[in-house]
């Protein structure tokens, strides 16, 4: 159950703390001062989530001293994060603590669009309600730290698969990394994919750790720099808690840079900025260091899902890797749901002044609510984009991201009905949400709309209530060409339906992914880029 009353924040010099008592533990959250624009750019998705187990709740002074002496406060400030101290409510400290404390902590930890002072503010943008508060922390980057009895507790209870509440429901929520100092027990290792930092432990403990897990760092005493260099390599994604490596952008020869720009608020803004004269928009750019040496570069605007962030879509979908592999500029827009297509045109003008952009090769893609934003661009500013790749979502055509009637083509009140835009649309075949025509009338209507505007040879006259007679179980009809491509990394099949237009070109691709739910992954994004990148936009013409 979420925290119902917002915690009281205490100022300690330039740092902050707050406390809360949960069912089985108490938490002291220490938030070090930083100079990052964290209120506009959500850095939390790539921030380490430091959890320190203590026998009794730390005072503010103790939390501040520990953060400074351990070096954790310095790292937390670098990532716009915090250090969370957890103590059990039972007598006897961690030596007597029950199981289940970590699961309760993860259930009450969130990375959310709305946050301040280490508190995730669980506002529901659709119903304009507040659903409580939580500790702000990326549960897929948890680093659990314990000494003595606390280390023993971790060694007995957390080095295994742990069922709990993840980002999107039930999941393996095991820690990403465990730091064990001064153990008095041999760790009970239930999984090999658990990186462990061993500090000041016996040869017997270290031997068990080295042989039991795939990744370990053995220290005689705490070495802050060395330990973080080891721990920051890892993360866990998805429902299954798979251990993955964090991208090292320096090693890849890439730039990752966050920026903030102030834009004039358009009249149709239905988000948090509605009614204001202007508002700030954040974005994160990804590009190879040598990208602009050979001249202007293609640009892909990327829009995250609802509740996600720019960093999240870049890394979960691995669009950053597609940009690296194919050498283009990727710009992931932060909190785009509170910005309109008209405001995105302002952002584009800003980006053109900031980077050397090949203006005939501007593209956009988005996942879930970001897919809806991409459809908005098709409806309102089609002549700007050489191609679009909305994924995994649609509203009814004619509606915008806010579920309201679209202001239409350049605010005309009529959505685009003439300007053809190459489209690559993809959805998961196992998704619980309406993404494909077989799942909802609005999806079917969207496909029909695109095929009409893109002047496809084949008429999309599919009826939703006639699915029993559909020639293709997902789309109703098959493309003029159908291609099936195996994604060996995920044991799935990407099925591409290509629809030819009356001028002989192929500008429309409808794709589905077997075994995939509401997700967006590298394999699909890479094929989306292959399709989009063949097109240029010159005025209203596609070349």
């Amino acid at each position: 159950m979420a925290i119902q009353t917002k915690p009281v924040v205490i100022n300690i010099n330039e740092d902050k703390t707050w406390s809360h008592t949960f069912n089985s533990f108490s938490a002291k959250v220490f938030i070090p001062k930083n100079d990052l624009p964290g209120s506009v750019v959500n850095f939390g998705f790539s921030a380490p989530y430091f959890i320190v187990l203590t026998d009794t709740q730390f005072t503010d002074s103790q939390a501040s001293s520990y953060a400074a002496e351990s070096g954790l406060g310095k790292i937390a400030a670098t990532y716009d994060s915090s250090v969370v101290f957890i103590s059990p409510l039972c007598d006897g400290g961690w030596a007597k603590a029950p199981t289940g404390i970590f699961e309760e902590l993860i259930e009450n930890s969130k990375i959310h669009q709305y946050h301040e002072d280490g508190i995730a503010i669980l506002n529901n943008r659709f119903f304009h309600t507040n659903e409580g508060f939580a500790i702000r922390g990326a549960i897929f980057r948890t680093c659990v730290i314990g000494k003595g009895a606390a280390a023993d507790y971790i060694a007995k209870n957390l080095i295994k698969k742990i069922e709990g509440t993840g980002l999107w429901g039930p999941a393996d929520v095991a820690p990403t990394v465990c730091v064990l100092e001064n153990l008095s027990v041999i760790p009970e290792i239930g999984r090999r994919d658990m990186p462990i930092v061993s500090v000041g432990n016996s040869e017997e403990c270290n031997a068990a750790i080295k042989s039991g897990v795939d990744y370990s760092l053995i220290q005689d005493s705490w070495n802050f720099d060395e330990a973080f260099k080891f721990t920051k390599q890892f993360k866990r994604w998805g429902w299954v808690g798979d251990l993955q490596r964090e991208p090292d952008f320096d090693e890849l020869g890439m730039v990752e840079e966050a920026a903030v720009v102030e834009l004039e608020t358009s009249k149709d803004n239905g988000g948090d900025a509605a009614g204001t004269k202007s508002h700030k928009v954040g974005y994160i750019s990804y590009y190879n260091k040598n990208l602009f040496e050979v001249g202007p570069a293609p640009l892909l605007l990327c829009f995250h899902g609802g509740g996600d962030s720019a960093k999240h879509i870049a890394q979960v979908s691995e669009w950053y890797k597609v940009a690296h592999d194919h050498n283009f500029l990727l710009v992931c827009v932060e909190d785009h749901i509170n910005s309109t297509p008209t405001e995105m045109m302002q952002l584009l003008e800003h980006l053109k002044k900031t980077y050397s952009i090949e203006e005939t090769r501007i593209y956009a893609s988005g996942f879930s609510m970001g897919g809806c934003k991409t459809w908005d661009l098709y409806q309102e500013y089609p002549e700007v984009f050489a191609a679009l790749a909305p994924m995994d979502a649609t509203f009814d055509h004619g509606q915008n991201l806010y579920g309201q009637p679209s202001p239409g083509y350049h605010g005309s009140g009529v959505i685009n009905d003439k300007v053809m835009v190459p489209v690559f649309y993809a959805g998961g075949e196992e998704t619980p949400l309406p993404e494909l025509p077989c799942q909802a009338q609005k999806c079917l209507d969207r496909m029909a709309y695109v095929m009409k505007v893109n002047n496809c040879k084949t008429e999309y006259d599919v009826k939703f209530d006639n699915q029993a007679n559909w020639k293709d179980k997902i789309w109703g009809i098959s493309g003029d060409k159908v291609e099936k491509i195996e994604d060996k990394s995920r044991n799935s099949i990407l099925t591409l339906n290509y629809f030819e237009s009356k001028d002989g070109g192929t500008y429309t691709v409808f794709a589905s992914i077997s075994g995939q739910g509401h997700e967006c992954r590298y394999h699909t994004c890479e094929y989306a880029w292959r399709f989009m990148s063949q097109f240029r936009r010159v005025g209203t013409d596609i070349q």
Side-chain angles (χ1 to χ4, degrees):
M1 184 177 180
I3 302 170
Q4 295 304 302
T5 301
K6 188 177 181 180
V8 176
V9 177
I10 306 297
N11 293 312
I12 306 176
N13 298 320
E14 294 184 303
D15 304 323
K16 297 179 179 181
T17 68
W18 58 269
S19 305
H20 186 77
T21 300
F22 295 87
N23 290 331
S24 60
F25 66 90
S26 62
K28 170 77 71 176
V29 181
F30 174 79
I31 310 99
K33 176 186 179 298
N34 71 69
D35 297 321
L36 295 169
S39 62
V40 184
V41 178
N42 193 342
F43 295 95
F45 275 91
S46 63
Y49 185 22
F50 292 126
I51 300 166
V52 182
L53 307 189
T54 62
D55 272 332
T56 58
Q57 187 180 67
F58 272 11
T59 64
D60 293 338
S61 177
Q62 287 175 313
S64 179
S65 296
Y66 185 100
E69 293 168 7
S70 66
L72 297 181
K74 179 181 178 182
I75 298 174
T78 302
Y79 287 87
D80 188 34
S81 185
S82 56
V83 183
V84 180
F85 300 91
I86 300 297
S87 56
L89 294 179
C90 64
D91 293 332
W94 288 104
K96 300 293 185 181
T99 60
I101 291 178
F102 183 75
E103 292 92 318
E104 185 184 355
L105 169 63
I106 295 301
E107 188 172 359
N108 286 280
S109 303
K110 308 289 182 184
I111 286 293
H112 199 275
Q113 167 198 353
Y114 301 104
H115 63 89
E116 63 182 5
D117 299 330
I119 302 168
I121 304 169
L122 309 181
N123 288 342
N124 187 313
R125 68 166 63 252
F126 299 105
F127 298 102
H128 305 290
T129 58
N130 173 262
E131 297 171 354
F133 308 89
I135 302 171
R136 183 175 185 248
I139 64 174
F140 37 83
R141 288 187 173 89
T142 53
C143 178
V144 184
I145 302 166
K147 181 177 181 179
D152 291 348
Y153 181 88
I154 297 170
K156 292 177 182 178
N157 297 291
L158 301 187
I159 310 176
K160 61 181 182 180
K161 182 176 181 179
I162 299 176
E163 296 290 343
T165 303
L167 286 175
W168 304 285
D172 177 1
V173 297
T176 306
V177 181
C178 294
V179 179
L180 309 175
E181 184 175 2
N182 293 352
L183 285 164
S184 65
V185 299
I186 304 299
E188 298 176 13
I189 297 174
R191 63 190 306 162
R192 293 199 61 84
D193 65 337
M194 178 66 72
I196 292 177
V197 179
S198 174
V199 183
N201 292 313
S202 67
E203 291 185 6
E204 188 178 9
C205 284
N206 288 337
I209 291 169
K210 287 179 181 179
S211 63
V213 299
D214 294 328
Y215 308 99
S216 62
L217 174 65
I218 309 300
Q219 295 184 336
D220 292 330
S221 59
W222 176 254
N223 183 315
F224 152 71
D225 291 327
E226 185 182 44
F228 183 62
K229 184 177 180 180
F230 172 79
T231 61
K232 73 176 182 179
Q233 302 177 79
F234 306 105
K235 63 185 176 185
R236 293 192 190 278
W237 280 131
W239 286 268
V240 293
D242 287 342
L243 188 72
Q244 298 182 10
R245 292 295 187 103
E246 278 282 89
D248 185 324
F249 293 110
D250 285 333
E251 188 177 285
L252 288 169
M254 291 192 76
V255 175
E256 179 194 38
E257 57 188 12
V260 174
V261 61
E262 187 149 353
L263 304 178
E264 181 181 346
T265 305
S266 62
K267 293 180 180 180
D268 59 310
N269 191 306
D272 294 343
T276 64
K277 291 184 177 179
S278 66
H279 64 288
K280 293 179 179 179
V281 172
Y283 64 88
I284 304 178
S285 301
Y286 298 86
Y287 56 93
N288 292 331
K289 291 179 179 179
N290 62 356
L291 176 63
F292 303 108
E293 292 178 4
V294 294
L299 164 67
L300 175 75
L301 284 182
C302 190
F303 304 106
H304 59 75
D308 289 345
S309 77
K311 277 181 172 282
H312 193 248
I313 188 63
Q315 294 195 27
V316 171
S317 66
E318 294 186 299
W319 265 117
Y320 81 87
K321 188 175 185 299
V322 183
H324 172 66
D325 293 345
H326 293 271
N327 213 31
F328 62 87
L329 171 63
L330 171 69
V331 174
C332 297
V333 183
E334 190 71 79
D335 191 20
H336 69 88
I337 300 172
N338 281 315
S339 296
T340 66
T342 298
E343 292 158 11
M344 291 302 93
M345 296 306 103
Q346 297 177 48
L347 175 62
L348 271 177
E349 291 307 308
H350 164 79
L351 293 174
K352 290 175 185 178
K353 296 174 183 177
T354 306
Y355 300 105
S356 178
I357 293 172
E358 190 173 356
E359 295 192 29
T360 63
R361 301 189 68 201
I362 296 175
Y363 311 91
S365 181
F367 163 70
S368 194
M369 289 294 283
C372 294
K373 171 58 65 61
T374 312
W375 284 126
D376 283 357
L377 298 175
Y378 187 99
Q379 295 179 159
E380 298 181 36
Y381 291 93
E383 81 289 355
V384 173
F385 298 92
L388 297 170
M391 297 187 188
D392 304 277
T394 180
F395 284 123
D396 289 308
H397 78 282
Q399 287 192 344
N400 63 15
L401 185 74
Y402 306 114
Q404 300 298 319
S406 169
Y409 182 63
H410 290 261
S412 66
V414 179
I415 63 172
N416 171 36
D417 60 357
K418 293 183 177 66
V419 181
M420 186 164 56
V421 186
V423 166
F424 182 106
Y425 178 73
E429 294 179 11
E430 304 301 325
T431 177
L433 301 178
E435 299 178 15
L436 302 168
C438 60
Q439 298 170 315
Q441 181 70 48
K442 65 179 180 180
C443 301
L444 187 150
D445 292 343
R446 176 69 69 172
M447 304 309 117
Y449 164 64
V450 172
M451 290 184 68
K452 182 178 180 180
V453 176
N454 282 4
N455 206 21
C456 292
K457 288 181 178 178
T458 302
E459 182 182 356
Y460 194 67
D461 57 355
V462 177
K463 304 300 181 185
F464 186 73
D465 57 3
N466 190 37
Q467 289 190 47
N469 297 313
W470 283 10
K471 294 179 180 179
D472 183 286
K473 67 176 183 178
I474 293 174
W475 305 102
I477 59 174
S478 298
D480 300 305
K481 172 186 172 184
V482 178
E483 184 178 12
K484 292 182 178 291
I485 305 164
E486 182 181 7
D487 179 0
K488 293 181 179 179
S489 69
R490 308 188 74 222
N491 194 30
S492 65
I493 300 295
L494 173 67
T495 301
L496 304 172
N497 285 270
Y498 298 87
F499 291 91
E500 190 175 339
S501 293
K502 293 177 181 177
D503 67 357
T506 299
Y507 311 108
T508 308
V509 177
F510 297 155
S512 63
I513 307 97
S514 67
Q516 179 169 300
H518 192 57
E519 309 169 63
C520 183
R521 302 298 181 187
Y522 173 85
H523 187 261
T524 303
C525 295
E526 204 264 349
Y527 273 91
W529 177 256
R530 289 187 185 187
F531 173 76
M532 288 192 294
S533 61
Q534 65 185 307
F535 301 107
R536 294 175 180 269
R537 167 74 67 183
V538 180
T540 58
D541 296 329
I542 290 294
Q543 298 179 355

